[in-house]
Amino acid sequence: MHRRIRALNAVVFDFDGTLALLNVDFKAMRLDILGLAASYGISDDGLEGLFVLEMIAEIRRRIGRDAPGRAGVFADRALQLVTDRELAGAARSALFPGVREMLGELRRRGVKRGILTRNCLEAVTAVFPDIGDYSEAVVTRNDTERVKPHPDHIRTVLRILNEEPARSAMVGDHPMDIRVGKEVGALSVGVLTGYSAASDLQEAGADLILERASDITVCLD
């Protein structure tokens, strides 16, 4: 039986692992970036704990200390490698069953819908070409200077939706999603359709954990 949650004006969703099958080869993506960094004479020291986009930013900073003119070229090449991996993953991905129906039901109830993702827009629309019909705000890494886990990412979505965090929920499959929701004061909802276990989401502070994102319509008052 699902726990009832307070009425919400808006729900913001992560994409990969939450609304769509997660099929990006992140291990290969990291190796791509580390290989490129090595060609610039940058070792992997201190990069192990960073997410890929943050790793690119750090490598760019290191290159820029000695060769500022090469830093931007590296970043462009690195982001193209990331995009290539995302598009390859998107070609093998699909929306989870019931996602369009769930988003349509939220719309029918007057709940605003937003999506935030560290992916590029091309990969998202390859999986969900009619996303604009189901979401009033889609904010990819192309649309914000600071992606999650920085709170500006979800704040950008909520600003487009013209909603306050206290009347909104953040739904995602990764502890990062839970933490970014908590940081801005939104209800944080974890789902079990990605790589994270319920214990990981609980440890991050999830207010509620669902089997899948589409279950949220059952829980809303």
Side-chain angles (χ1 to χ4, degrees):
M1 182 174 181
H2 293 103
R3 197 187 93 193
R4 305 296 291 180
I5 59 177
R6 66 175 185 261
L8 298 168
N9 292 340
V11 181
V12 179
F13 297 91
D14 167 57
F15 191 70
D16 274 359
T18 300
L19 298 182
L21 180 67
L22 182 58
N23 247 332
V24 178
D25 190 340
F26 290 107
K27 182 177 180 180
M29 184 188 291
R30 292 184 69 87
L31 291 174
D32 289 342
I33 303 308
L34 291 174
L36 180 61
S39 74
Y40 282 78
I42 303 297
S43 74
D44 60 359
D45 291 346
L47 301 177
E48 299 84 359
L50 299 179
F51 294 114
V52 168
L53 297 180
E54 288 73 17
M55 187 168 67
I56 291 171
E58 173 59 19
I59 296 168
R60 178 176 184 167
R61 185 189 68 80
R62 294 182 188 182
I63 294 171
R65 288 183 307 198
D66 300 319
R70 303 183 73 202
V73 175
F74 162 79
D76 289 343
R77 292 176 65 190
L79 287 173
Q80 186 59 56
L81 290 172
V82 170
T83 297
D84 291 345
R85 290 290 179 184
E86 290 172 343
L87 291 173
R92 305 187 304 273
S93 297
L95 291 181
F96 288 126
V99 164
R100 282 188 176 86
E101 292 80 1
M102 175 269 294
L103 293 171
E105 176 62 16
L106 290 177
R107 177 174 56 196
R108 188 189 68 78
R109 298 187 192 188
V111 178
K112 298 175 184 178
R113 292 132 284 119
I115 294 170
L116 82 168
T117 176
R118 290 164 59 96
N119 277 3
C120 65
L121 180 61
E122 296 91 335
V124 172
T125 54
V127 178
F128 196 174
D130 52 343
I131 193 170
D133 296 334
Y134 290 89
S135 175
E136 297 158 276
V138 180
V139 181
T140 70
R141 71 160 179 270
N142 307 102
D143 307 311
T144 180
E145 288 187 13
R146 292 184 284 256
V147 295
K148 64 175 181 173
H150 198 286
D152 276 2
H153 202 164
I154 187 172
R155 287 179 183 136
T156 299
V157 178
L158 293 174
R159 186 162 57 248
I160 295 170
L161 295 177
N162 193 30
E163 286 298 340
E164 295 296 323
R167 299 292 294 175
S168 305
M170 174 67 215
V171 181
D173 69 298
H174 194 282
M176 178 195 304
D177 302 311
I178 303 303
R179 295 188 187 104
V180 78
K182 301 291 284 187
E183 186 164 354
V184 300
L187 185 78
S188 287
V189 181
V191 295
L192 301 177
T193 45
Y195 293 149
S196 300
S199 57
D200 299 323
L201 301 172
Q202 289 168 342
E203 186 176 346
D207 298 298
L208 178 67
I209 297 177
L210 302 174
E211 287 293 325
R212 58 194 65 82
S214 56
D215 289 341
I216 195 165
T217 55
V218 181
C219 302
L220 289 177
D221 288 326

